[in-house]
């Protein structure tokens, strides 16, 4: 799921993202280290790398984005915050995007290093993609008549630019 954050960072910060390409052979190598993938995806572009959840492609994107921007995007996505759900405060997420190991940085952008994300925070982030970049504070449903009373919810602010949210929404359809 962290690949959605990496995809947003790539879309916003890499100038030539529409021309991104990567060839996945199933066991991608970088500086002599292996980054195994879930399959042999062959040639992928930005959109198909997300559709196929290609570890090699996302490792490459993460190295291009860099550790500082990756941390910035994890924070912008609300993944390092506690979320108040009707007085219940969720645990904060924790991320490490190392600047001294390109392989560990790759794994961090894939979501498999020292990443700890609260499922509620990820739910809010994915909801912001569906809601044109605007995050909405979750609430507990207290009865079965909730649809009559549902009016939206308190905004938690803009997690993504509308154009970025629209791009991710389009890519998620694949």
């Amino acid at each position: 799921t962290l690949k959605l954050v990496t995809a947003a960072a790539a879309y916003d910060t890499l100038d030539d993202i529409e021309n991104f390409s990567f060839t996945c052979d199933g066991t991608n190598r970088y500086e002599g280290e292996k980054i195994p993938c879930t399959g042999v995806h062959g040639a992928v572009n930005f959109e198909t790398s997300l559709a196929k959840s290609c570890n090699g492609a996302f490792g490459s994107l993460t190295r291009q984005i860099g550790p500082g921007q990756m941390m910035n995007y994890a924070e912008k996505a609300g993944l390092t915050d506690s979320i108040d759900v009707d007085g219940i405060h969720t645990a904060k997420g924790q991320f490490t995007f190392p600047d001294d190991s390109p392989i560990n940085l790759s794994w961090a952008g894939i979501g498999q290093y020292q990443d700890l994300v609260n499922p509620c925070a990820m739910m809010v982030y994915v909801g912001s993609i569906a809601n044109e970049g605007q995050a909405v504070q979750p609430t507990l449903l207290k009865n079965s008549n909730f649809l009559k009373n549902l009016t939206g919810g308190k905004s938690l602010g803009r997690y993504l630019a509308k154009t970025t949210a629209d791009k991710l929404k389009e890519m998620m359809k694949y």
Side-chain angles (χ1 to χ4, degrees), residues 11-28:
Y11 184 74
D12 286 349
T13 66
L14 300 180
D15 292 332
D16 201 26
I17 192 62
E18 295 303 326
N19 293 316
F20 173 79
S21 66
F22 186 85
T23 302
C24 174
D25 63 5
T27 306
N28 303 283

Side-chain angles (χ1 to χ4, degrees), residues 28-41:
N28 303 283
R29 289 164 187 78
Y30 185 79
E31 294 185 351
E33 298 282 334
K34 294 180 181 179
I35 301 175
C37 210
T38 58
V40 177
H41 300 124

Side-chain angles (χ1 to χ4, degrees), residues 73-87:
Y73 272 78
E75 291 169 354
K76 281 176 53 171
L79 301 182
T80 59
D81 297 331
S82 174
I83 296 176
D84 178 354
V85 183
D86 294 336

Side-chain angles (χ1 to χ4, degrees), residues 80-102:
T80 59
D81 297 331
S82 174
I83 296 176
D84 178 354
V85 183
D86 294 336
I88 302 167
H89 296 273
T90 66
K92 295 179 180 182
Q94 299 175 11
F95 299 88
T96 301
F97 296 102
D99 60 6
D100 61 347
S101 171

Side-chain angles (χ1 to χ4, degrees), residues 92-140:
K92 295 179 180 182
Q94 299 175 11
F95 299 88
T96 301
F97 296 102
D99 60 6
D100 61 347
S101 171
I103 293 300
N104 289 341
L105 176 60
S106 298
W107 282 116
I110 293 166
Q112 298 295 317
Y113 184 54
Q114 296 176 348
D115 305 335
L116 297 174
V117 64
N118 185 291
C120 185
M122 185 54 75
M123 174 191 72
V124 171
Y125 176 67
V126 173
S128 76
I129 294 170
N131 196 32
E132 300 181 340
Q134 289 284 347
V136 176
Q137 184 173 15
T139 187
L140 296 174

